Amino acid sequence: MIVIAHLSDVHLDGGERAAERTRVVMEYLEGLPYALDAVLVSGDIADHARPEEYEEARKALGSRHPLVVCPGNHDGRAAFRRGLLGEEHPSAAPVDQVLRGDGFVLAVCDSSVPGEHRGYLEDSTIAWLDGVLTDTPREVPVLVAFHHPPVPLHIPYVDGIRQFGEERLAALAERHPHLTAFLCGHAHTGAATTFAGRPLLVAPGVVSTTRLPWEAASGESEYVHTDEPPAVAFHVVGEDGRLTTHYRVVVARR
């Protein structure tokens, strides 16, 4: 059994609120009685892409479990590379990473577009992902992660800044049947749908929760709900290859 914890959108900004919510989630994961196969943090690590925010993130997201972090639309590639990956002379190229675990592969793509909030996988990222999938034996499941969902989620504000150019990703998935699922964040709400015939699983937000259109009383100003506790997803790949996702609300221990 493979278990991957998935959190997203911590938006660390030097303030107490985001830091405390991140601390609660990470302490929960660190306190689990068993080792996880991976912890994925799918973007919007910093709120303003400042160096001090990445220094905060480097400390806050430390884990005994294998951990991989990707950028979101609030992140900056060079600052992300320097602060979280330790690169002395960071480039502005997409931050694409792969974690090869015991019986699975987690391919983490950079869907951020510098200076914009929408998402897009650059051609170099598509080619990189194609290579990862080609090099992975067909019997090994590959989970593909990024920040922006590549389909509408029926949340107008989020849908306007989702991942575009998704037809290229769908064509790639068609060539690689062992691509098991897509994982993302960005929406600040736990959600499950499909893309390219695979599950598309959206992690809840840590810093806040998005109210759905039928929950909001009066327009976009009502979309951000700050009182709900943070939450995480657990993606489980069983011995039969079946993927199951559990969503868990996390509250501070008394």
Side-chain angles (χ1 to χ4, degrees), residues 212-252:
L212 302 172
W214 47 93
E215 295 178 312
S218 57
E220 288 188 7
S221 64
E222 296 285 334
Y223 278 2
V224 178
H225 192 32
T226 58
D227 294 332
E228 294 291 333
V232 299
F234 290 102
H235 307 299
V236 183
V237 181
E239 292 182 1
D240 59 356
R242 182 188 301 274
L243 176 66
T244 303
T245 294
H246 301 272
Y247 290 97
R248 180 69 76 227
V249 170
V250 183
V251 295

Side-chain angles (χ1 to χ4, degrees), residues 96-140:
D96 301 321
Q97 305 164 83
V98 62
L99 174 64
R100 297 188 181 275
D102 185 7
F104 75 101
V105 170
L106 178 59
V108 184
C109 305
D110 185 351
S111 64
S112 68
V113 178
E116 300 187 35
H117 288 297
R118 68 180 178 92
Y120 184 84
L121 296 181
E122 293 188 14
D123 289 344
S124 62
T125 295
I126 293 288
W128 171 85
L129 179 57
D130 194 16
V132 170
L133 288 158
T134 299
D135 292 343
T136 302
R138 290 294 181 96
E139 65 272 16
V140 177

Side-chain angles (χ1 to χ4, degrees), residues 145 192 253:
R253 295 178 178 177

Side-chain angles (χ1 to χ4, degrees), residues 168-243:
R168 297 144 53 248
L169 181 61
L172 184 150
E174 188 173 351
R175 299 195 300 271
H176 297 285
H178 56 317
L179 197 168
T180 301
F182 297 99
L183 314 176
C184 67
H186 191 49
H188 290 233
T189 183
T193 184
T194 60
F195 172 72
R198 273 75 163 184
L200 172 65
L201 303 163
V202 187
V206 170
V207 75
S208 65
T209 299
T210 297
R211 281 181 174 152
L212 302 172
W214 47 93
E215 295 178 312
S218 57
E220 288 188 7
S221 64
E222 296 285 334
Y223 278 2
V224 178
H225 192 32
T226 58
D227 294 332
E228 294 291 333
V232 299
F234 290 102
H235 307 299
V236 183
V237 181
E239 292 182 1
D240 59 356
R242 182 188 301 274
L243 176 66

Side-chain angles (χ1 to χ4, degrees), residues 10-23 26 44-63 67 69 75 79-80 82-84 206-207:
V10 295
H11 286 266
L12 293 166
D13 59 0
E16 292 184 7
R17 185 176 180 282
E20 174 63 13
R21 291 169 74 91
T22 302
R23 182 194 65 77
M26 294 306 296
D44 281 358
I45 310 307
D47 198 41
H48 307 94
R50 296 170 180 157
E52 59 269 25
E53 293 174 339
Y54 291 112
E55 176 62 20
E56 180 184 8
R58 187 182 63 79
K59 297 175 182 178
L61 298 175
S63 178
L67 182 140
V69 181
D75 292 301
F80 182 102
R82 181 180 292 110
L84 296 182
V206 170
V207 75

